[in-house]
Amino acid sequence: RKKEVEEEDNNETSIVDEIKQLRKALRTVEVMGHILKAKPGSFKKEMQKKYFSDALNVYFRITKRFLEDFKNNENDFIEYFMDRIFYFNTEKLSTEDIYNLSRRYFCQYNLMNYYSCIYKASSILCSEQIVQIVSEVCNEIDTTLSYFIKLQCEMWYKKRIPIDDIKKAMKNLEGIQIYVLSDLIINYCELHDVKFDEKQKIASILKIEMRRLNKEITG
């Protein structure tokens, strides 16, 4: 019993230490992002690329770590979701429905981790002044995640949708990757004025209905 308690204490200490390291890494990234955005002209191009690449790698490591945790503990996550849904099950869902809903929540948590990396990288590290630097670094990394970060930055800081680039990227994307790509573009269209003919081209490339790209008006 004493050994079990010691192991639990060690695990809790390890988790606390890891959270401290995570917070320290994120603070460092925020400082680097502030430097990149506030004084981009103070550094040569290669140094700007290095700062951005180093900061981006921190986000990549964090994202990878959470994805590994989700993967290694998938059954535990799903079981937890099933317990909570079952407890609040006012609609009297069947066991199969509860399981399917739990799996959907599990997938959404994975996606939230993915989106967090994209949105934080674009908002904290990028600016109008260094968007070209960001694009070059992301091209050099050449992964699906780096492409999404480049796309998000180019759309939001150049105020345009790179249609030809998206068409080219679509050839190498599949499944959930296409979903993420479409979601990033749809979110951009909801908050920006995009020409009708551009929306037509985008809808055709993504194979989605035009109405999904129309700006939502509320109130």
Side-chain angles (χ1 to χ4, degrees):
R1 177 59 183 171
K2 181 180 179 181
K3 185 177 180 180
E4 291 178 357
V5 172
E6 290 177 349
E7 288 179 352
E8 289 180 2
D9 290 340
N10 289 335
N11 288 336
E12 290 181 1
T13 302
S14 177
I15 292 172
V16 170
D17 289 341
E18 190 169 353
I19 291 175
K20 288 180 179 179
Q21 293 176 5
L22 175 61
R23 287 177 175 172
K24 182 178 180 180
L26 290 174
R27 284 197 297 270
T28 301
V29 169
E30 289 176 358
V31 171
M32 294 175 73
H34 177 73
I35 293 173
L36 283 169
K37 295 171 75 169
K39 299 181 179 179
S42 302
F43 305 96
K44 292 182 178 179
K45 179 179 179 179
E46 289 306 312
M47 188 57 67
Q48 290 179 6
K49 292 176 70 173
K50 183 181 185 304
Y51 277 148
F52 178 77
S53 180
D54 289 347
L56 196 58
N57 280 330
V58 173
Y59 284 135
F60 285 163
R61 289 199 300 272
I62 293 172
T63 301
K64 182 180 179 181
R65 173 56 195 275
F66 277 110
L67 286 175
E68 289 176 347
D69 282 346
F70 282 133
K71 181 179 179 180
N72 294 334
N73 299 284
E74 179 176 349
N75 291 334
D76 291 335
F77 276 107
I78 291 177
E79 184 178 346
Y80 171 79
F81 290 137
M82 289 184 69
D83 286 342
R84 302 313 297 165
I85 294 171
F86 181 79
Y87 181 79
F88 293 103
N89 184 15
T90 58
E91 298 180 7
K92 304 302 179 183
L93 299 173
S94 67
T95 302
E96 182 179 0
D97 288 337
I98 291 176
Y99 175 76
N100 291 333
L101 187 57
S102 298
R103 285 202 58 83
R104 191 194 309 169
Y105 285 146
F106 175 74
C107 292
Q108 288 176 344
Y109 267 73
N110 276 275
L111 276 176
M112 286 171 58
N113 176 42
Y114 207 59
Y115 281 128
S116 177
C117 180
I118 297 170
Y119 291 138
K120 282 186 175 296
S122 63
S123 63
I124 294 177
L125 301 179
C126 191
S127 69
E128 187 177 347
Q129 289 73 29
I130 65 166
V131 65
Q132 188 57 40
I133 295 293
V134 171
S135 296
E136 291 181 17
V137 172
C138 287
N139 284 337
E140 291 169 6
I141 295 173
D142 193 25
T143 63
T144 302
L145 183 54
S146 69
Y147 169 72
F148 288 149
I149 291 171
K150 182 187 80 167
L151 174 64
Q152 179 74 359
C153 291
E154 288 188 352
M155 288 193 300
W156 285 78
Y157 293 103
K158 290 185 177 180
K159 302 303 178 185
R160 67 178 183 85
I161 299 177
I163 295 177
D164 291 338
D165 191 44
I166 292 170
K167 186 175 182 179
K168 181 180 178 181
M170 276 289 290
K171 297 177 182 178
N172 300 314
L173 300 179
E174 57 183 18
I176 197 67
Q177 297 170 336
I178 296 177
Y179 173 87
V180 173
L181 173 65
S182 301
D183 201 36
L184 294 176
I185 296 172
I186 290 169
N187 287 339
Y188 176 83
C189 288
E190 288 180 350
L191 298 172
H192 297 83
D193 290 324
V194 180
K195 294 180 179 179
F196 182 81
D197 61 332
E198 290 183 351
K199 287 184 178 181
Q200 282 185 317
K201 292 178 182 178
I202 294 167
S204 177
I205 293 170
L206 299 178
K207 294 181 174 57
I208 61 176
E209 296 179 11
M210 266 286 291
R211 63 179 179 81
R212 297 186 62 192
L213 296 173
N214 289 332
K215 187 174 182 179
E216 292 186 355
I217 301 176
T218 59

